[in-house]
Structure formats: C-alpha cells, structure tokens
C-alpha cells in the first residue's frame, strides 16, 4: 500500500508586519503582555493588494516551484478560508486560472472558521485513498486575513498569510494515518464574523475554553481510533492550531494533564515537543485556516531531519466549532527535502511598519474591495500575485 500525506509545503505572507511591542506602546499596555503573555512578537499586516486570493496564489506558485511539481498533475484544489472575497465564487476558481490548473480538476472552497483547510486536507486524503485521484495530486491552500477591531483584546492576535499543501501518494514530508482521526463538534458562540463585517466578533476567554474542550474530545477520539488499530506509539512532537503561541502552550498542558502529567512535567514536555513549532507563528500571528500548517512548517523547518521516522500529532480547531486530532510520520529523506523547500524564506526581508502605517493600512482597508483598477504600480516580489482592484464588479489580479 502506498503512503498518503503531505508531499510539500510553501508559505506566503504579506510584505510587512507590525512589531507587537509597538502595538503595546500605542495601546498603553506592557509589551510583556503581548510578547510573553500571548507569545506573539510580530503580526503580518496585509495591504489592499495582498488579499486572500493573492496570498493563496503566491503560496501555491511557490509550492509548485520549490517542490518541482507541474500544475497539470493537480486533480483537486480546495481552498480553506474564512475571509473569502465573494459569497459565491470560490477562491479556488481564481486559483484555477492564476495557477494554470488543468480543466479536469475539481475546485471548491471550504469554510468552517479555522477548520476549513483541514476539512480540505481530510477530503483530499479520502479522495486519494478511495482511488478517485487516479494518479493525480491534490492542492490544498489555507488563506486568511485575521482581523479584529482596533483597540479590542483580539487586536494583538491578528495576522495574515497562506499555506499551500501538496497532497499525494508517497509524500516526501509527512505520511498521514488516513482514517485514524478523532472528531469533535458543538454549536458554540466563541468567534464568528457576521456577513456585514470584515472584522471577527469574539468572546475571547470563552473561545479559549471552547478550544480546550474540543481538544479533549478530539484527542480522546483519536486515542481510541489509534488504539483500535493496534498503534499505541508515542508522539514525538505535537502541533496545535496557533491563534497565539500561549494558546498552544495551554493546549499542550491540557492534553498532558489529561494523560496524568503534573503541570511541571507538562511544561517540560512542551519545551521538547511543541516549542519549535511556534517560531514561525510568533513572527506572523494568527492566519486562521493556515495556523496549524504554519506550525507544522515551523517544526519541519527546524527539525525534519531529526524527526525522520517519528510520529507527530496534529490538532486542528475551528471556532463554532469543529476540531480534529490526527497523526502522521515524518518520512525518510524529509530533512534534506524540507531544507530544499526553504520554508521560512518568505519571512526574510519583510518590512517593519510603524504603528501609524498600520493604522493607515487599516483605514484604507475599508474601501479595498470596491476600488477601481487605477493602474497603481506594484513592485511584486518574484512569483507573487496581487489584487489590483475591480472592473465592472470583476476582481482583477496581476502576477
Ligand atoms: P486579554 O483578556 O486582553 O488578555 O485577551 P489576558 O488578560 O487574558 O492576558 C493574556 C495573557 O497575558 C495572560 O496569560 C496574562 O497573565 C498575561 P495566561 O493567564 O493566559 O497564561 N499577561 C502578561 N504576561 C507578561 N507580562 C505582562 C502581562 N499581562 C498579562 N505584563 C484573549 C486575551 C486571547 C482573550 C484575546 O487576545 C482574544 O480575544 N483573542 C482572540 C480570540 C482567540 O484567539 N481565541 C483563541 C481560542 S479560539 C481559536 O483559536 C479560533 C480562532 O483561531 C478563530 C477560528 O477558528 O477561526 C480565534
């Protein structure tokens, strides 16, 4: 039986970021509250031309280029997003043209808060396992702009970015345990975004509890499913959905305590099993659907070589809520391949915005989806795609 899983990963982030110490100074709170208290150092700030389609297309073009994959081999393209640009036309349809995907390809968008990308990934695994792929690969792209109201408690947990995942047989990074997952769902009002709003509404402290409840339920479901297959192998590393780094720490402590560990033991295992997956998220902030996969990219960038042959756990949470726990094995050769993907490259050479620039970007954002194509020059980095405005209600992109 061939293995199935994540063959390659690539990231896309906006060109600029806000330092959380600068945000703290402007909001009159100690920087420690954001940097240590929440575990975030920088948050990506998307400008008008860096919309969810542009970020998704940029990440996907990068994954094709770095992994050496021809877009004509894609038979399924699912975009997970909760900040889509249209109520009807999916981001995946824009990608179809921007990426040159073949016409014999299923494209659609999946929405369930931060869970949409995982829903796409699980569908892709089943699509391949069922034989429907007939040798083709799947492209799953998670893309979002996390935006809360100015001066709200959610403001330091914003971010923006996209993660593209190639899913195939005989993957070069992570072979997933297909069909061995733990699901959890409940109708809760922890976080949502009404149709009239670009900004999310959140019951922050309640959302933390909802996340932890969902984690406990999904983890137990996964343990039962895994044990039923006879697999009780310990996890070497664990990646969590990361709305902010401290949440992953709380999550890990919760799981370890459910397993009978003391708080000190849980925190010691956090340093060994979780910390390396939080480096990139601490530099980007919450990217909603892509957050778990940004954590996975961070882990592989840091440790893929040492982790070859080892089993790792993955927890995906989407407010509202739905969650899934699943696992996979880092494949032989993943270390050298992850190095060649240069996963962290898009974070290099970013521009640091001043607080005034951040405020200005947020104000201009309001007119963003309606602005006409006006020939504004965009100096795009190699391989990037940009949104340049609307023409008779049609969104226009340049690459
Ligand atoms: P808050 O109430 O302003 O912060 O907002 P706080 O008072 O709870 O403080 C945060 C932490 O900083 C605390 O640590 C403080 O002790 C510490 P903790 O007790 O939690 O360990 N602290 C300090 N540390 C060092 N130096 C200091 C200092 N002062 C305080 N001087 C909250 C926090 C997370 C509620 C807010 O940012 C928020 O509402 N964020 C958005 C919601 C969110 O991210 N929820 C996460 C779970 S839900 C989820 O993950 C789904 C989501 O991704 C959406 C989706 O699914 O689509 C959001």
């Amino acid at each position: 039986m061939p293995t199935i899983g994540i063959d390659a990963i690539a990231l896309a982030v906006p060109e600029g970021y806000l330092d959380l110490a600068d945000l703290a100074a402007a909001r009159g709170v100690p920087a420690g509250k954001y940097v240590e208290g929440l575990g975030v150092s920088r948050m990506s700030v998307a400008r008008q031309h860096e919309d969810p389609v542009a970020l998704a297309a940029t990440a996907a073009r990068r994954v094709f280029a770095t992994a050496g994959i021809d877009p004509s081999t894609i038979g399924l393209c699912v975009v997970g997003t909760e900040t889509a640009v249209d109520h009807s036309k999916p981001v995946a349809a824009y990608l179809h043209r921007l990426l040159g995907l073949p016409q014999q390809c299923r494209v659609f968008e999946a929405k369930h808060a931060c869970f949409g990308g995982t829903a796409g990934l699980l569908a892709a695994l089943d699509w391949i396992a069922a034989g429907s792929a007939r040798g083709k690969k799947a492209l799953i792209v998670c893309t979002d702009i996390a935006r809360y109201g100015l001066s709200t408690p959610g403001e330091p947990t914003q971010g923006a970015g996209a993660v593209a995942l190639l899913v195939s047989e005989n993957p070069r990074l992570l072979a997933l345990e297909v069909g061995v997952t733990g699901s959890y769902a409940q109708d809760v009002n922890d976080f949502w975004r009404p149709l009239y709003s670009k900004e999310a509404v959140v019951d922050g402290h309640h959302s933390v509890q909802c996340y932890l409840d969902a984690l406990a339920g999904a983890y137990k479901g996964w343990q039962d499913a895994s044990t039923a297959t006879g697999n009780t192998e310990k996890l070497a590393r664990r990646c969590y959905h990361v709305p902010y780094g401290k949440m992953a720490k709380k999550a890990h402590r919760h799981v370890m305590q459910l397993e009978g560990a003391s708080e000190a033991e849980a925190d010691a295992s956090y340093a060994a099993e979780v910390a390396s997956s939080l480096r990139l998220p601490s530099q980007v902030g919450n990217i909603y659907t892509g957050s778990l996969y940004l954590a996975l990219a961070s882990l592989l960038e840091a440790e893929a070589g040492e982790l070859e042959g080892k089993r790792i756990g993955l927890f995906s949470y989407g407010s509202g809520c739905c969650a899934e726990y699943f696992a996979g094995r880092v494949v032989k050769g993943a270390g050298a391949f992850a190095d060649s993907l240069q996963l962290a490259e898009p974070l290099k050479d970013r521009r640091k915005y001043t607080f005034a620039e951040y405020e200005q970007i947020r104000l201009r954002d309001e007119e963003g989806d309606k602005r006409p194509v006006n020939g504004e020059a965009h100096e795009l980095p190699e391989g990037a795609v940009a949104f340049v405005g609307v023409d008779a209600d049609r969104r226009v992109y340049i690459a």
Side-chain angles (χ1 to χ4, degrees):
M1 272 283 280
T3 55
I4 305 173
I6 299 175
D7 182 56
I9 304 181
L11 314 176
V13 291
E15 288 164 34
Y17 67 88
L18 181 67
D19 203 303
L20 270 282
D22 293 344
L23 178 64
R27 298 297 178 224
V29 301
K33 174 168 178 180
Y34 295 164
V35 180
E36 284 92 45
L38 295 175
V40 193
S41 301
R42 296 172 173 180
M43 63 183 196
S44 285
V45 178
R47 286 166 59 206
Q48 282 183 330
H49 66 280
E50 298 164 317
D51 79 352
V53 174
L55 291 168
T58 304
R61 286 163 70 122
R62 182 171 168 82
V63 85
F64 288 141
T66 54
I69 296 293
D70 193 313
S72 68
T73 61
I74 301 299
L76 172 69
C77 170
V78 188
V79 175
T81 184
E82 57 176 293
T83 51
V85 296
D86 192 287
H87 290 312
S88 174
K89 182 171 173 175
V91 173
Y94 289 99
L95 291 195
H96 188 266
R97 183 178 61 78
L98 291 166
L99 303 177
L101 298 180
Q103 283 197 315
Q104 283 198 336
C105 186
R106 185 181 298 158
V107 301
F108 63 93
E109 185 173 296
K111 182 187 78 177
H112 183 140
C114 297
F115 187 72
T118 300
L121 172 62
L122 296 173
L125 298 176
D126 290 342
W127 177 73
I128 295 171
S132 306
R134 292 190 297 276
K136 297 261 179 166
K137 301 176 198 306
L139 171 69
I140 310 302
V141 191
C142 309
T143 184
D144 275 302
I145 296 175
R147 205 189 268 111
Y148 300 92
L150 298 176
S151 298
T152 63
E155 188 180 32
T157 63
Q158 299 177 114
V163 183
L165 307 170
L166 280 170
V167 182
S168 70
E169 286 189 354
N170 302 317
R172 288 170 284 179
L173 290 178
L174 187 67
L176 290 165
E177 296 167 20
V178 180
V180 187
T181 72
S183 310
Y184 178 95
Q186 200 179 349
D187 179 2
V188 290
N189 289 310
D190 63 333
F191 165 106
W192 62 100
R193 190 166 68 86
L195 287 177
Y196 58 78
S197 176
K198 274 199 160 206
E199 290 159 8
V201 182
V202 63
D203 187 346
H205 291 280
H206 180 51
S207 76
V208 171
Q209 192 53 50
C210 291
Y211 178 121
L212 294 176
D213 292 346
L215 171 60
Y219 188 68
K220 169 88 173 63
W222 169 76
Q223 277 183 316
D224 291 347
S226 183
T227 308
T229 67
N231 188 351
T232 52
E233 184 184 331
K234 220 177 143 311
L235 297 169
R237 297 287 183 277
R238 306 180 199 233
C239 294
Y240 296 93
H241 168 58
V242 190
Y244 51 94
K246 177 65 91 52
M247 186 69 240
K249 187 169 191 178
K250 285 180 197 283
H252 188 65
R253 187 182 283 173
H254 193 57
V255 163
M256 297 313 288
Q257 287 181 335
L258 288 173
E259 290 197 344
S262 67
E263 201 170 296
E265 287 165 341
D267 289 352
S269 88
Y270 162 84
E273 295 182 22
V274 185
S276 68
S277 68
L278 300 180
R279 190 181 78 80
L280 298 182
S282 77
Q283 301 297 308
V284 176
N286 193 357
I287 56 168
Y288 290 161
T289 49
S291 292
L292 168 63
Y293 304 101
L294 179 62
L296 175 63
S298 187
L299 175 75
L300 294 175
E301 198 244 349
E303 300 192 81
E306 298 89 283
L307 291 175
E308 286 180 19
K310 301 261 171 62
R311 193 183 194 203
I312 64 170
L314 299 155
F315 175 66
S316 179
Y317 177 76
S319 283
C321 71
C322 185
E324 198 96 15
Y325 205 97
F326 53 112
R329 192 174 301 283
V330 179
V331 303
K332 198 161 177 294
F337 185 55
D339 285 349
S340 75
L341 293 175
Q342 298 195 306
L343 292 165
E345 185 72 18
L347 274 73
K348 282 195 186 143
D349 305 324
R350 288 188 300 166
R351 210 180 125 206
K352 177 176 162 162
Y353 292 133
T354 62
F355 177 76
E357 284 174 310
Y358 157 72
E359 270 196 319
Q360 197 55 38
I361 291 167
R362 284 294 300 261
L363 291 176
R364 275 202 77 192
D365 222 29
E366 294 310 315
E367 84 224 22
D369 289 333
K370 292 190 186 132
R371 81 192 157 115
V373 179
N374 61 8
E376 243 178 67
H378 286 280
E379 274 187 36
L380 297 179
E382 174 81 19
V385 173
F387 167 60
V388 289
V390 292
D391 180 8
D393 278 330
R394 287 156 176 79
R395 297 179 80 86
V396 181
Y397 292 88
I398 54 163

